[in-house]
């Protein structure tokens, strides 16, 4: 059954190493876009530093590096971006987490997806070739540009999380995904499992919800649907689930184990692997309940929500006690039963 496979995966999950981040704000085309792209990229840099990523391990590239020379390393040209990837390869080691985040506009030309940069654009194939020189690293690529969906199939592979703002290169309108994804990485609100850290999966799910809320509030036709692929099959999921049942797509497992600067998830205490699987199951049911909120009566929704939150709190307490027993010191997350806020 899938539960035992997941249990073995959790037990064998490696401890992460250092985190390196490359974020590039692409060609805006007009001042409003250039400003928005830069501000989102600069915000991501600050979130990374606040999360413990060392400043020398963060590369911020921008369309106009003179606007903040103390922050920006270089102009966001293709040449400089690929040079930064090579530098990341030199400074990193096997087991490290390498993030490449692209913020801007994108396009599809001659069958190749690309992100628009000052000078020649960067294609999915060119980025894939650069990342091929980084064996043994866990790689996170987040392309928030329009028409970014084509990057999934090209970049997908083992130990890689690929996130795109659109589900295909045909979705070419301006995207809203970038700002919400970056907001999530620095927000306690996006921390669905209340472990004090926001995983790639949690940030993706948060951004998806906020994008959907934006289009619904404005009664607009939704022109962007983000994808996440982390099982190496080249097929991204619109709604990745940590647990979705036997035969369902497995996207979400790796993304749930990677944080920006926070290392990998704490090791599950010996003998408590099944409890960790149980927690993942409850979290999955909670996520599904929240998606179905609009189709349930308020009373039924509140009753089931309370039941699942209390169940999570009990499981978390047992896991904290297990960590305390295994380390001989109190768990820093605190003691006692605490119910995550809705």
């Amino acid at each position: 059954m899938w539960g035992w496979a997941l249990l073995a995966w959790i037990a064998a999950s490696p401890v992460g190493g250092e985190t390196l981040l490359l974020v590039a704000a692409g060609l805006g085309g007009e001042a409003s876009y250039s400003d928005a792209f830069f501000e989102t990229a600069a915000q991501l840099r600050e979130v990374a530093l606040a999360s413990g990523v060392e400043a020398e391990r963060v590369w911020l590239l921008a369309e106009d590096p003179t606007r903040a020379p103390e922050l920006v390393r270089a102009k966001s040209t293709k040449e400089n971006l690929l040079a930064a990837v090579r530098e990341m390869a030199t400074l990193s080691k096997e087991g490290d987490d390498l993030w490449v985040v692209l913020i801007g506009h994108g396009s599809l030309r001659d069958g190749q997806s690309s992100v628009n940069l000052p000078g020649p654009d960067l294609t999915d194939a060119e980025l894939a070739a650069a990342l091929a020189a980084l064996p043994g690293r866990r790689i996170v690529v987040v392309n928030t540009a329009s028409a970014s969906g084509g990057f999934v199939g090209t970049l997908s592979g083992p130990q890689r999380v690929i996130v795109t703002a659109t589900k295909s290169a045909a979705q070419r309108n301006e995207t809203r995904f970038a700002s919400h994804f970056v907001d999530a990485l620095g927000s306690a609100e996006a921390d669905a499992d209340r472990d004090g850290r926001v995983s790639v999966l949690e940030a993706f799910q948060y951004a998806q919800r906020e994008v959907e809320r934006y289009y619904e509030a404005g009664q607009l036709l939704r022109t962007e649907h983000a994808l996440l692929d982390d099982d190496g099959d080249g097929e991204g999921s619109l709604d990745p689930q940590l647990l979705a049942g036997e035969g369902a797509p497995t996207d979400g497992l790796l993304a749930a184990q990677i944080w920006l600067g926070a290392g990998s998830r704490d090791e599950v205490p010996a003998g408590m692997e099944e409890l960790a699987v149980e927690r993942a199951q409850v979290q999955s049911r909670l996520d599904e309940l929240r998606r179905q909120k609009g189709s349930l009566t308020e009373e039924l929704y509140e009753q089931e929500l309370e039941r699942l939150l209390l169940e999570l709190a009990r499981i978390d307490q047992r896991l904290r006690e297990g960590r305390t027993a295994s380390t001989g010191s109190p768990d820093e997350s605190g003691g006692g039963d605490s119910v995550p806020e809705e």
Side-chain angles (χ1 to χ4, degrees):
M1 295 178 62
W2 55 260
W4 289 107
L6 179 62
L7 189 155
W9 176 83
I10 289 175
S13 293
V15 175
E18 300 287 342
T19 297
L20 294 82
L21 167 67
L22 164 59
V23 53
L27 188 65
E30 58 184 73
S32 60
Y33 287 125
S34 295
D35 290 344
F37 296 162
F38 175 79
E39 289 167 7
T40 301
Q43 179 186 350
L44 178 54
R45 178 184 184 275
E46 292 306 310
V47 170
L49 296 180
S51 300
V53 182
E54 298 177 4
E56 58 269 25
R57 293 176 178 268
V58 178
W59 289 258
L60 172 58
L61 309 183
E63 180 181 4
D64 179 11
T66 64
R67 67 183 299 165
E70 71 282 6
L71 304 179
V72 179
R73 292 211 186 187
K75 192 179 184 71
S76 55
T77 63
K78 177 172 69 173
E79 180 182 3
N80 288 338
L81 193 154
L82 295 178
V85 172
R86 292 192 294 271
E87 190 173 354
M88 293 173 78
T90 301
L91 295 180
S92 64
K93 61 185 182 304
E94 290 191 8
D96 285 348
D97 292 341
L98 273 57
W99 291 55
V100 177
V101 181
L102 308 174
I103 300 172
H105 298 305
S107 59
L108 176 67
R109 294 179 182 175
D110 300 325
Q112 284 195 312
S113 297
S114 63
V115 60
N116 302 151
L117 301 175
D121 293 341
L122 175 73
T123 69
D124 52 350
E126 289 169 330
L127 182 56
L131 296 179
L134 297 166
R137 283 78 161 171
R138 298 195 303 185
I139 295 175
V140 179
V141 177
V142 183
N143 185 353
T144 68
S146 51
S148 53
F151 275 63
V152 172
T154 308
L155 299 180
S156 178
Q159 292 297 292
R160 289 188 180 185
V161 179
I162 312 300
V163 173
T164 60
T166 73
K167 65 181 180 180
S168 72
Q171 292 190 322
R172 294 174 290 183
N173 290 5
E174 172 192 359
T175 62
R176 304 278 173 173
F177 184 83
S179 60
H180 295 306
F181 186 83
V182 173
D183 284 344
L185 291 172
S187 169
E189 184 180 351
D191 181 15
D193 62 9
R194 300 299 192 265
D195 68 349
R197 300 171 292 191
V198 178
S199 68
V200 180
L201 178 61
E202 287 172 325
F204 177 87
Q205 292 171 330
Y206 175 93
Q208 280 279 58
R209 291 193 298 270
E210 292 303 309
V211 167
E212 182 177 10
R213 183 177 290 119
Y214 167 80
Y215 283 96
E216 288 180 347
Q219 297 183 329
L220 302 171
L221 176 64
R222 186 170 174 179
T223 57
E224 59 180 296
H225 299 80
L227 292 178
L228 185 149
D229 171 75
D230 68 356
D231 62 0
D233 68 353
E235 298 289 335
S237 296
L238 292 166
D239 186 21
Q241 294 297 306
L242 192 56
L243 291 175
E246 188 172 3
T250 55
D251 288 325
L253 294 177
L254 180 60
Q257 297 294 311
I258 299 179
W259 289 260
L260 182 61
S264 61
R265 184 181 295 275
D266 295 334
E267 291 185 4
V268 178
M272 304 191 77
E273 293 86 358
E274 290 188 40
L275 187 61
V277 171
E278 182 182 350
R279 191 199 190 287
Q281 293 171 325
V282 175
Q283 182 65 55
S284 182
R285 293 201 298 272
L286 181 60
D287 292 340
E288 180 62 26
L289 174 68
R290 285 168 169 157
R291 284 193 297 274
Q292 295 179 354
K293 182 177 181 179
S295 62
L296 303 174
T297 66
E298 183 176 356
E299 181 181 6
L300 179 59
Y301 175 78
E302 294 295 338
Q303 288 178 349
E304 186 64 7
L305 177 67
E306 181 179 2
R307 185 185 70 80
L308 291 173
L309 290 177
L310 288 173
E311 191 171 351
L312 272 182
R314 285 192 291 268
I315 294 174
D316 286 343
Q317 176 63 17
R318 291 175 62 189
L319 286 171
R320 285 196 295 269
E321 291 170 351
R323 292 190 181 100
T324 299
S326 64
T327 62
S329 59
D331 190 290
E332 294 181 357
S333 60
D337 289 331
S338 60
V339 180
E341 297 178 0
E342 164 57 1

